[in-house]
Amino acid sequence: MTRRKKIYEGKAKILYEGPEPGTLIQYFKDDTTAFDATKKAVLEGKGVINNRISEYIMTRLTGIGVQNHFIKRMNLREQLIKEVEIIPLEVICRNIAAGSLATRLGIPEGQPLPRSIIEFCLKDDKLHDPLVTEEHITAFNWASTQEIDDMMAITLRINDYLTGLFAGVGITLVDFKVEFGRIYENDFPRTILADEISPDSCRLWDSVTNEKLDKDRFRRDLGN
Ligand code: TMP
Ligand code: ASP
């Protein structure tokens, strides 16, 4: 393998310099963490599967006009992506109460929400990715009002599409997290979907049994 310059290493992925300016290579590790990396494991083959699942979902989203950073899968663990300036927010979309929303608001896990709810969290493990409002986001210049509107609209579009995609194979999309980045076209920033969409970043339940089919199996020591 040729030596490549490492640009960034996160908990589950590594970014390397890409073959052309404006591109990067995203490498999916088997490392798995939860609760801001206080719980760690290596799940053999996870990176290979997430690379495939994220490729599939990003490709389908491109097909419905949701612009994203994915260009092509290169091999088992790597994909070629567009280089973006990451917006330091995690955008969560929820259809059914679970996880931190269930705890925070005292709503039983599994209760359908009155409508899909979007939340913004600051991407900062040391602070435990705190929930932030539009006021914080614009005051601290993490994103503009226009970018907030774009992220909300794109996230709802992704939610509609993925809810149907998963329903077709007997899976309920409970909630998911996405991240966005900016690419500059003639000096104007455009907001595009980045990072990954995989069972690490979604809650997916069997539509019939409600069995958990996502990273909560690791977070909650459910095995399998
Ligand atoms: P939460 O209920 O723990 O806030 O998680 C909401 C959704 O976001 C769930 O699908 C898991 C995903 N998620 C991440 O992808 N990264 C994170 O750091 C956290 C906390 C959640
Ligand atoms: N953010 C990830 C999760 O729990 C991993 C982590 O927090 O370490 O889903």
Side-chain angles (χ1 to χ4, degrees):
M1 198 174 76
T2 48
R3 281 204 174 275
R4 289 186 306 229
K5 194 173 152 205
K6 191 193 281 190
I7 305 285
Y8 174 81
E9 178 155 5
K11 288 174 290 184
K13 298 186 289 299
I14 305 173
L15 296 177
Y16 295 100
E17 197 170 58
E20 287 159 30
T23 66
L24 295 175
I25 291 164
Q26 176 166 256
Y27 176 97
F28 287 76
K29 301 194 277 187
D30 285 342
D31 298 4
T32 310
T33 70
F35 313 119
D36 309 308
T38 50
K39 179 171 182 172
K40 292 184 195 175
V42 176
L43 301 181
E44 207 179 314
K46 188 216 39 156
V48 174
I49 292 171
N50 279 0
N51 184 19
R52 282 271 186 181
I53 294 176
S54 202
E55 170 195 18
Y56 180 76
I57 293 177
M58 292 292 182
T59 305
R60 297 294 297 258
L61 289 173
T62 301
I64 60 156
V66 173
Q67 287 197 36
N68 62 74
H69 73 166
F70 180 82
I71 301 173
K72 66 170 186 181
R73 190 171 58 79
M74 303 182 67
N75 54 47
L76 284 178
R77 289 188 183 272
E78 293 176 326
Q79 42 183 250
L80 185 65
I81 58 169
K82 291 179 194 158
E83 183 172 22
V84 302
E85 186 180 289
I86 281 283
I87 295 175
L89 297 168
E90 301 201 342
V91 184
I92 294 170
C93 181
R94 301 178 184 272
N95 300 307
I96 295 175
S100 68
L101 177 127
T103 309
R104 195 183 332 122
L105 302 181
I107 301 174
E109 189 156 90
Q111 185 169 303
L113 297 169
R115 61 176 168 82
S116 302
I117 294 175
I118 292 186
E119 297 172 338
F120 291 97
C121 295
L122 179 65
K123 236 174 105 65
D124 188 328
D125 277 347
K126 288 193 294 303
L127 300 177
H128 311 297
D129 298 340
L131 191 66
V132 291
T133 68
E134 182 164 349
E135 277 289 282
H136 301 115
I137 297 170
T138 51
F140 294 112
N141 256 325
W142 296 322
S144 67
T145 311
Q146 178 65 55
E147 287 171 332
I148 294 173
D149 289 349
D150 290 347
M151 289 190 285
M152 289 185 75
I154 299 168
T155 302
L156 288 174
R157 180 90 180 96
I158 295 169
N159 186 43
D160 283 346
Y161 182 73
L162 292 187
T163 295
L165 186 77
F166 283 117
V169 290
I171 294 174
T172 304
L173 179 61
V174 173
D175 56 33
F176 63 94
K177 182 267 302 186
V178 279
E179 294 181 26
F180 291 90
R182 303 180 181 99
I183 48 169
Y184 289 88
E185 292 167 351
N186 304 320
D187 287 344
F188 287 107
R190 178 189 283 279
T191 314
I192 70 166
L193 176 66
D195 193 51
E196 71 177 286
I197 300 184
S198 75
D200 271 20
S201 56
C202 301
R203 281 200 174 90
L204 302 165
W205 294 356
D206 183 295
S207 305
V208 176
T209 63
N210 278 349
E211 187 192 0
K212 296 183 198 321
L213 306 173
D214 57 69
K215 194 175 168 182
D216 271 348
R217 300 209 70 84
F218 169 70
R219 293 191 190 97
R220 302 180 188 190
D221 295 320
L222 300 175
N224 270 330

